[in-house]
Amino acid sequence: MNDGVEQTRGLSVLDRPNSYIGKTVPRPNLDRLMQGRGLYVSDMTLPRMVHVVFLRSPHAHAKILNIDSVAAKAMPGVIAVVTGRELADVITPWIGVLTHLKGLKSAPQHAIAIDRVCWQGEAVAAIVATSRALAEDAAEQMSVDYEELTPVTNMRTALDAETPVIHPDLGDNLAFERNLDAGAIDKAFADSDEVVEAEFVFGRHTGVTLEPRAVLADWNAGEARLTIYQGTQAPHMVQNISAKHLGLEEAQVRVVCKDVGGSFGIKVHIYADEMATYALSKLLRRPVKFVADRVESFSTDIHARDHVCKGRIGVNKDGTITGFEIDDLTGIGPYSMYPRTSAIEANQVVNLVGGPYTTPNYRARTRVVFQNKNVTCQYRGVGHPIACSITEVLVDLAARAIGMDPIEIRRRNLVADDAYPCASPSGMKFEALSHHASIDRLLSIMDYDALRAEQAELRKQGIYRGIGIASFVEVTNPAAAFYGVGGARISSQDGVTVRLDATGSVVCQTSITEQGQGSESLTAQIVGSVLGVSMSRVRVILGDTDNTPYGGGTWASRGAGIGGEAALQSAKALRKNILDVAAAILQAKPGDLDIVENSVVDLVGGQQRIEMHELARIVYFRPDTLPPGFQAELMATRHFVPREYPFAFTNGVQASWLEVDPNTGFITLLKHWVVEDCGTIINPQLVDEQIRGGVVQGLGAALYEHCIYDERGQLTNANMADYLVPMSGEMPDISIGHVVSPTMESELGAKGAGEAGTAGAAACVANAVNDALAPFGATVTEIPLTPRLILTALGTI
Amino acid sequence: MKASAFSYIRPTTIDDALALLAQYGEQAKVLSGGQSLMPALNLRLSAPEWLVDIGGLSDLRTIAVSRGLLRIGALARHVDVLKSADVAEHAPLLADAMVHVAHPAIRNKGTMGGNLAHADPASEMPACMIALDAVIVVRSRAGERRLQARDFFIGIYETALAAEELLVAVEIPVANQNSVRFFHEYARRNGDYAIVGLAASATLDGGSFADLRLGFFAVGDRPLLATAARHLIGRPVTAAMLAEAQAALEAELDPQEDQQAPVAMRKHLARQLLALCVATLLGRADLEARRSA
Ligand SMILES: Cc1cc2nc3c(=O)[nH]c(=O)nc-3n(C[C@H](O)[C@H](O)[C@H](O)COP(=O)(O)OP(=O)(O)OC[C@H]3O[C@@H](n4cnc5c(N)ncnc54)[C@H](O)[C@@H]3O)c2cc1C
């Protein structure tokens, strides 16, 4: 696929005059969004559109004995009240399993519960009315008889014999278990100078997107076609699954995704209430809109984390880490989520613990159990914050046990920068990482030694500050290994089509999606650079299964690395076609020509030969003047998926500087640093924004965010006053440095950057808190790190 | 999350507003800045038949000083109080506290009357009012009542206001030359309701307190004017006196356990605040008793 022109010049296809690559250019969609001209699902109105409100279970676990909707149906504006049993005629249930997660089991889940509810918030009936307010009025008139069942809420006892089994057909509450034993851990620990252990607790939290989940489903009986307008990260996945369960051909479903107000993994799943909305549209033969309100967002948007993990690390006095061992447990709610499953996070924890380090000795067990709480699934950073916290807190505890500086122990154990390619004990293949270069860069930007001196000085004055470090590896650019090999029809490849229009501007259709990351911007940057066309002339179309190539969408830090490469290759193909046309018009050789600033020029000398709009005019309106037999092709499509490595691993290191007030238990974040290596940087500002946003979400988990359930399975803080999200007032400045190790799997060389911030933030904050508390001999291994937790650790309360 | 249907009316005079309240009584709710009422309506925690929007009663927005009293109208917005020169001069405690009330967008809409009538036990202003010995002026068609702030707040979201009454103003004795004040709260994030907070107003006599009014909030079902202050008045404060005051404080606190803090933590933080307050007002760092390793 290599273009001979670039090769002779010795330059990459991106390293061209007026290239946009590596430059901070404003996002093309910025003005539109800033002027309030975005188009979110909530903004859309269709003729005959109605609104659905779901009546949700107040109980975590109960039998539905009777649903009386007579009074609700008589309320003004009500179009229909539909139960799960009625809807089951329109849409079939599903089971969220993947074959490569051996033994993973789950029970059939219906769009609306039929005879039993399994978590507080599960839908039991749909009330469809001419407005949301009227539907809510009618919902108050619904009467449901429940027989409460014992809820399973404590994951630690979920597998005990006395605990009821949530789905009796499954035999027990164990959804999935994985065991891994690499090297010789027992011997390694027996021979170690020190073995340190800790129990880690990771609270449940969720994504809190600014725009809630929103769907508008429009079944057009005339053409027997369903159009779904939805804020989703994966339109083709939604197309496939909705068609499958509604008994339609994929071609009968179109998914359109306009603007999306944040996703973070929340909007990459198939939710029961969204499936119900599609089905209601088909049943009622009219457009039906569902927009989750904030309370139902908290109780039904996927939750994440919620792990308890015992961890052990062995270390010798010289600083050598001899091995890691973990025993992990997580509660995922009553069903494994569809279609990506709820076992991926635990699986990732097993894959990633110890990942940055050289020790070959690693034993891991994870168990994934059912409980009567909201479902959990993949949210930004999937497994990374957990694996990173376990690993990095253990490394710090090991360093403390042998009296070594946290930087020094990392230097002695991180995989050397020249040791690649290599694999981790869990079998993860690393192409090229840069742990040591990243640490070097970190130490210089944070001035580590000066900070340690300041810390010591302040301690004398009774001020307790801490420094925390966390190295991490991050999974990006996933190929089929994540889902495809397990049987899910989730594309791991993406495609881009580029077309030169009659005025010399470019239309580009991509299968990746935009939820604020900058997918639109990076696509235009790549296409503009490769083609030699101004970005302002590149129009990018995303999020429409009728009008983009088939592809996976934007998740798992794959948009830039996979969709970006498809954009590069399609632009290269179009460029070649354009030069062929130019050569025919100019009676020159294509290899002697180039495109710069919207004109075809001589490769040598740069003399302008023909402007693009003129070339396009000839192709479209005077093809008669082209040589006989010559057919111009001003549209090209290319697809891409990495083939050699299942994932493009990236790496980085984070550091936190904070103060703990031992009188009150309050933590003040003072400063945060990140050095990360995402390969080729397409737009530095977008990368830095991704890192900062990711760090802030990681800090939210570290200090604030927590879905608090009581022992009855009631979510007790489903509102923005009691569920604390990180806010700007508490956030530290976040300094970012980069190391660049491009992946050789693509010409672009880009790896992902979207989850790096989230991966390491909580780990380094935990290490910094423990560093600050070291003089008191207190250690905390639970997040969120609340004042209550700190005061408890200090023995104050 | 949509409010149930209600009827809306916006009177232009206080008399009209009072007539409407007299007419509809419990079926009506006064709408002021809407920052607490609208969320409650949308969550359907409250479903009044009538909303009486008092936003048009511009007479109630004034802040003025006369005869030794600073009078703040019920419709004075939080931002007005924050920016008022009269408040800065005569009741600077309010300005100190107001920056902790919510966020700028909410302070642009929320009003003093609404805040006090809402009577959230974790709210800053009610504690300031008891610390400043304010009088709360309420009016109905039957006439005006003037209530001591400490008699006004009677429980969680509960006040001495009757359904047909409108809170029209608060009156605060202006600070004198020897007045000092202290405000501090422990909240998880800027703008959050506090876990525990203290608004205090004192008169100094040399190195001692001639008077000390301690208004604790988020420590019970209403703001607390702590009687523990009596242990600290009239004599130079010693560590022993402070310890006695802290013990007395703990005895009079009846905090609730919630997701942020168990009872013991609230009591601990209240003791901390008392020490910090006394140390700050007297300029006596030795009384602060910071924990060290
Ligand atoms: C995100 C957020 C954070 C907040 N944080 C804080 C905080 O940290 N501290 C704090 O103190 N407050 C906080 N608030 C509340 C805010 O400060 C408002 O002051 C408060 O909501 C009430 O003022 P309002 O004018 O909006 O009243 P409204 O919401 O209009 O009314 C509140 C109640 O008072 C009644 N009422 C209003 N005016 C009168 C009157 N003149 N006479 C009789 N009854 C009346 C209403 O009927 C209603 O019951 C927060 C609010 C939000 C949304």
Side-chain angles (χ1 to χ4, degrees):
Chain A
M1 291 240 295
N2 264 335
D3 180 330
V5 179
E6 268 75 28
Q7 277 184 349
T8 54
R9 298 206 327 174
L11 284 174
S12 94
V13 66
L14 300 168
D15 208 3
R16 297 165 40 74
N18 306 312
S19 171
Y20 296 104
I21 306 302
K23 298 211 175 89
T24 289
V25 288
R27 302 161 177 237
N29 53 12
L30 207 57
D31 285 348
R32 184 171 61 80
L33 295 174
M34 296 302 285
Q35 289 177 25
R37 304 311 298 261
L39 188 59
Y40 298 87
V41 172
S42 312
D43 296 322
M44 300 182 66
T45 306
L46 295 179
R48 300 177 61 247
M49 184 178 91
V50 287
H51 299 260
V52 58
V53 161
F54 293 99
L55 184 71
R56 296 185 181 278
S57 168
H59 305 296
H61 199 191
K63 266 194 207 155
I64 302 172
L65 300 178
N66 184 48
I67 300 178
D68 179 354
S69 48
V70 174
K73 281 179 173 161
M75 291 290 286
V78 172
I79 306 292
V81 177
V82 181
T83 62
R85 198 172 303 285
E86 289 159 344
L87 207 61
D89 293 338
V90 189
I91 190 159
T92 56
W94 55 87
I95 302 178
V97 294
L98 286 167
T99 56
H100 68 308
L101 297 169
K102 286 197 186 53
L104 171 61
K105 61 191 189 214
S106 187
Q109 185 180 0
H110 290 270
I112 295 180
I114 293 188
D115 39 34
R116 189 169 61 120
V117 288
C118 288
W119 86 89
Q120 178 225 351
E122 185 172 4
V124 291
I127 295 99
V128 182
T130 50
S131 78
R132 169 107 196 176
L134 289 173
E136 286 188 18
D137 287 347
E140 289 185 340
Q141 302 303 315
M142 294 288 290
S143 142
V144 182
D145 295 337
Y146 295 99
E147 177 189 323
E148 278 193 72
L149 302 170
T150 309
V152 178
T153 55
N154 183 348
M155 67 167 109
R156 294 182 198 249
T157 55
L159 299 177
D160 291 357
E162 351 16 300
T163 303
V165 174
I166 295 177
H167 305 293
D169 289 352
L170 299 181
D172 56 29
N173 288 327
L174 183 68
F176 177 67
E177 173 164 350
R178 180 178 168 199
N179 287 278
L180 180 98
D181 202 345
I185 191 71
D186 291 328
K187 181 168 188 326
F189 281 167
D191 295 346
S192 298
D193 291 334
E194 300 279 352
V195 176
V196 184
E197 63 177 58
E199 183 180 272
F200 298 87
V201 177
F202 299 90
R204 232 175 207 257
H205 56 92
T206 183
V208 199
T209 55
L210 211 52
E211 182 206 15
R213 291 187 294 111
V215 179
L216 169 53
D218 180 16
W219 172 253
N220 183 326
E223 56 173 4
R225 212 162 180 249
L226 178 68
T227 304
I228 297 173
Y229 302 91
Q230 181 168 349
T232 173
Q233 298 172 241
H236 282 104
M237 181 192 85
V238 172
Q239 178 192 36
N240 169 263
I241 286 176
S242 56
K244 178 174 172 183
H245 293 280
L246 289 166
L248 302 172
E249 294 297 323
E250 254 185 57
Q252 286 178 278
V253 179
R254 175 183 175 197
V255 178
V256 179
C257 176
K258 300 282 188 184
D259 293 309
V260 184
S263 51
F264 318 118
I266 300 301
K267 297 175 184 168
V268 76
H269 312 293
I270 298 291
Y271 289 86
D273 47 22
E274 293 169 2
M275 291 283 253
T277 307
Y278 315 148
L280 286 166
S281 176
K282 187 147 182 277
L283 182 74
L284 302 173
R285 300 158 72 98
R286 62 195 296 173
V288 181
K289 185 191 266 191
F290 166 61
V291 180
D293 69 23
R294 192 51 71 185
V295 173
E296 53 190 351
S297 295
F298 277 115
S299 58
T300 63
D301 284 7
I302 56 114
H303 294 175
R305 322 307 184 215
D306 208 4
H307 283 238
V308 174
C309 184
K310 292 196 186 74
R312 291 211 289 165
I313 185 171
V315 66
N316 287 335
K317 290 213 169 69
D318 67 359
T320 309
I321 295 172
T322 58
F324 290 95
E325 180 176 11
I326 62 163
D327 187 5
D328 178 56
L329 177 68
T330 178
I332 58 164
Y335 298 102
S336 170
M337 192 73 182
Y338 190 57
R340 290 168 194 248
T341 84
S342 306
I344 297 278
E345 180 144 270
N347 200 52
Q348 287 283 63
V349 172
V350 173
N351 283 341
L352 298 172
V353 163
Y357 298 100
T358 53
T359 178
N361 304 313
Y362 176 41
R363 182 188 288 147
R365 171 170 82 154
T366 188
R367 286 172 302 159
V368 175
V369 300
F370 293 115
Q371 23 159 226
N372 294 112
K373 297 181 184 175
N374 183 24
V375 289
T376 69
C377 201
Q378 282 76 287
Y379 159 64
R380 195 174 198 171
V382 194
H384 291 69
I386 297 167
C388 180
S389 292
I390 294 166
T391 307
E392 292 302 285
V393 173
L394 284 175
V395 168
D396 265 29
L397 294 178
R400 200 189 290 185
I402 57 165
M404 187 175 274
D405 182 85
I407 294 289
E408 186 55 29
I409 193 169
R410 286 178 174 79
R411 284 216 189 279
R412 292 189 188 201
N413 291 282
L414 288 166
V415 176
D417 290 357
D418 60 3
Y420 299 96
C422 64
S424 74
S426 63
M428 298 293 105
K429 294 202 286 175
F430 301 136
E431 181 193 4
L433 303 182
S434 57
H435 289 298
H436 292 266
S438 298
I439 288 225
D440 289 343
R441 183 102 183 79
L442 175 75
L443 296 188
S444 79
I445 62 174
M446 73 185 285
D447 203 351
Y448 183 75
D449 295 336
L451 220 51
R452 281 277 177 225
E454 186 179 341
Q455 176 187 33
E457 198 47 48
L458 288 170
R459 254 184 211 174
K460 291 182 205 154
Q461 302 167 32
I463 293 171
Y464 296 91
R465 294 197 175 171
I467 300 171
I469 308 286
S471 289
F472 61 90
V473 291
E474 187 204 347
V475 173
T476 79
N477 294 3
F482 250 154
Y483 302 115
V485 297
R489 293 176 70 97
I490 299 170
S491 173
S492 51
Q493 60 87 61
D494 275 279
V496 172
T497 294
V498 280
R499 179 180 88 206
L500 188 72
D501 267 2
T503 55
S505 51
V506 176
V507 175
C508 170
Q509 293 145 296
T510 176
S511 60
I512 64 168
T513 52
E514 167 84 89
Q515 302 96 35
Q517 299 90 338
S519 304
E520 194 178 329
S521 180
L522 71 89
T523 303
Q525 278 179 265
I526 293 169
V527 168
S529 301
V530 175
L531 277 182
V533 168
S534 318
M535 254 180 90
S536 58
R537 290 196 180 192
V538 181
R539 185 173 159 68
V540 179
I541 294 170
L542 327 84
D544 183 348
T545 54
D546 266 7
N547 287 302
T548 64
Y550 201 95
T554 300
W555 39 272
S557 298
R558 64 190 301 284
I562 297 179
E565 177 69 5
L568 183 153
Q569 295 301 342
S570 65
K572 259 177 77 173
L574 177 60
R575 191 182 135 75
K576 178 176 177 305
N577 294 354
I578 292 170
L579 290 180
D580 286 346
V581 176
I585 295 171
L586 301 169
Q587 298 184 340
K589 288 198 200 110
D592 292 340
L593 300 171
D594 193 5
I595 310 172
V596 175
E597 282 191 72
N598 311 307
S599 288
V600 175
V601 300
D602 285 333
L603 183 58
V604 177
Q607 173 78 30
Q608 183 180 317
R609 299 295 300 276
I610 182 170
E611 287 177 278
M612 294 280 256
H613 66 82
E614 175 60 8
L615 179 145
R617 184 191 66 80
I618 294 170
V619 168
Y620 289 116
F621 307 119
R622 295 303 309 275
D624 55 309
T625 64
L626 293 171
F630 183 89
Q631 175 58 51
E633 290 295 349
L634 295 188
M635 181 154 170
T637 302
R638 289 292 180 273
H639 293 83
F640 176 71
V641 65
R643 297 296 296 275
E644 198 175 332
Y645 286 88
F647 312 104
F649 267 93
T650 70
N651 69 280
V653 59
Q654 299 196 20
S656 166
W657 171 237
L658 52 75
E659 185 169 320
V660 181
D661 182 344
N663 288 303
T664 62
F666 276 67
I667 296 167
T668 308
L669 301 173
L670 299 169
K671 181 84 197 181
H672 201 98
W673 297 266
V674 183
V675 175
E676 67 81 54
D677 183 346
C678 65
T680 304
I681 293 172
I682 299 162
N683 183 327
Q685 187 176 45
L686 289 182
V687 170
D688 288 359
E689 284 174 359
Q690 282 295 309
I691 304 283
R692 287 204 178 88
V695 165
V696 168
Q697 277 184 312
L699 295 175
L703 299 184
Y704 303 111
E705 298 189 52
H706 199 183
C707 298
I708 303 172
Y709 278 89
D710 66 14
E711 65 286 353
R712 304 288 311 153
Q714 298 286 320
L715 180 58
T716 57
N717 63 337
N719 63 71
M720 296 296 289
D722 297 318
Y723 181 99
L724 308 184
V725 295
M727 308 237 297
S728 57
E730 283 64 49
M731 291 299 103
D733 280 349
I734 303 166
S735 290
I736 298 170
H738 300 281
V739 174
V740 177
S741 315
T743 170
M744 295 299 153
E745 279 234 58
S746 67
E747 219 175 322
L748 184 62
K751 305 188 249 189
E755 295 162 285
T758 313
C764 67
V765 165
N767 278 342
V769 166
N770 286 333
D771 187 40
L773 293 179
F776 299 93
T779 309
V780 190
T781 54
E782 177 173 344
I783 61 168
L785 288 151
T786 60
R788 172 187 203 156
L789 204 65
I790 305 285
L791 288 177
T792 306
L794 285 168
T796 309
I797 55 171
Chain B
M1 236 197 252
K2 303 282 180 209
S4 349
F6 52 80
S7 301
Y8 170 91
I9 188 158
R10 188 177 163 95
T12 50
T13 66
I14 296 179
D15 286 344
D16 285 353
L18 296 178
L20 288 164
L21 293 181
Q23 187 180 349
Y24 297 119
E26 299 283 353
Q27 290 158 9
K29 271 269 174 199
V30 172
L31 173 65
S32 188
Q35 298 305 292
S36 293
L37 186 55
M38 296 310 293
L41 294 181
N42 285 341
L43 287 163
R44 299 196 173 203
L45 297 173
S46 170
E49 275 174 44
W50 286 89
L51 275 198
V52 179
D53 181 350
I54 58 169
L57 311 183
S58 46
D59 290 353
L60 295 184
R61 201 173 166 179
T62 42
I63 299 177
V65 188
S66 76
R67 279 171 283 152
L69 289 177
L70 171 71
R71 187 179 163 102
I72 301 176
L75 280 185
R77 298 186 182 177
H78 297 342
V79 64
D80 300 336
V81 172
L82 201 54
K83 291 190 173 158
S84 157
D86 283 335
V87 169
E89 187 181 344
H90 301 294
L93 179 66
L94 294 183
D96 291 354
M98 198 59 96
V99 293
H100 297 272
V101 176
H103 312 277
I106 292 147
R107 294 200 290 262
N108 286 341
K109 297 285 281 180
T111 63
M112 182 60 86
N115 189 290
L116 298 175
H118 188 56
D120 190 310
S123 182
E124 292 81 358
M125 286 303 129
C128 291
M129 294 307 157
I130 62 167
L132 293 171
D133 204 11
V135 164
I136 292 174
V137 185
V138 305
R139 206 181 291 169
S140 69
R141 285 237 291 206
E144 196 166 275
R145 290 200 295 153
R146 302 166 63 79
L147 300 156
Q148 292 297 317
R150 64 176 176 278
D151 300 329
F152 181 78
F153 302 103
I154 58 182
I156 300 177
Y157 307 129
E158 242 191 297
T159 68
L161 266 175
E164 67 279 4
E165 279 177 324
L166 197 61
L167 194 164
V168 291
V170 287
E171 287 177 357
I172 299 162
V174 300
N176 66 38
Q177 265 185 342
N178 297 324
S179 298
V180 289
R181 85 277 181 187
F182 171 88
F183 186 90
H184 196 79
E185 67 176 44
Y186 298 124
R188 294 290 299 283
R189 303 171 304 178
N190 277 293
D192 281 353
Y193 282 105
I195 297 178
V196 175
L198 171 58
S201 162
T203 310
L204 291 183
D205 177 10
S208 310
F209 291 117
D211 184 25
L212 175 63
R213 295 179 67 90
L214 301 169
F216 280 92
F217 53 103
V219 291
D221 67 352
R222 69 193 90 170
L224 173 85
L225 185 65
T227 59
R230 70 182 185 278
H231 295 283
L232 300 163
I233 289 171
R235 290 176 289 153
V237 175
T238 61
M241 283 164 67
L242 179 59
E244 219 178 322
Q246 285 176 314
L249 173 67
E250 212 169 307
E252 65 183 312
L253 292 180
D254 182 20
Q256 308 241 319
E257 153 130 35
D258 65 12
Q259 287 173 347
Q260 304 289 346
V263 170
M265 179 169 159
R266 283 218 154 77
K267 288 188 168 178
H268 166 77
L269 291 177
R271 294 174 65 115
Q272 293 286 324
L273 272 179
L274 179 56
L276 186 62
C277 169
V278 172
T280 307
L281 290 180
L282 297 176
R284 294 265 309 277
D286 60 299
L287 292 172
E288 206 188 319
R290 293 191 57 78
R291 179 164 175 181
S292 65

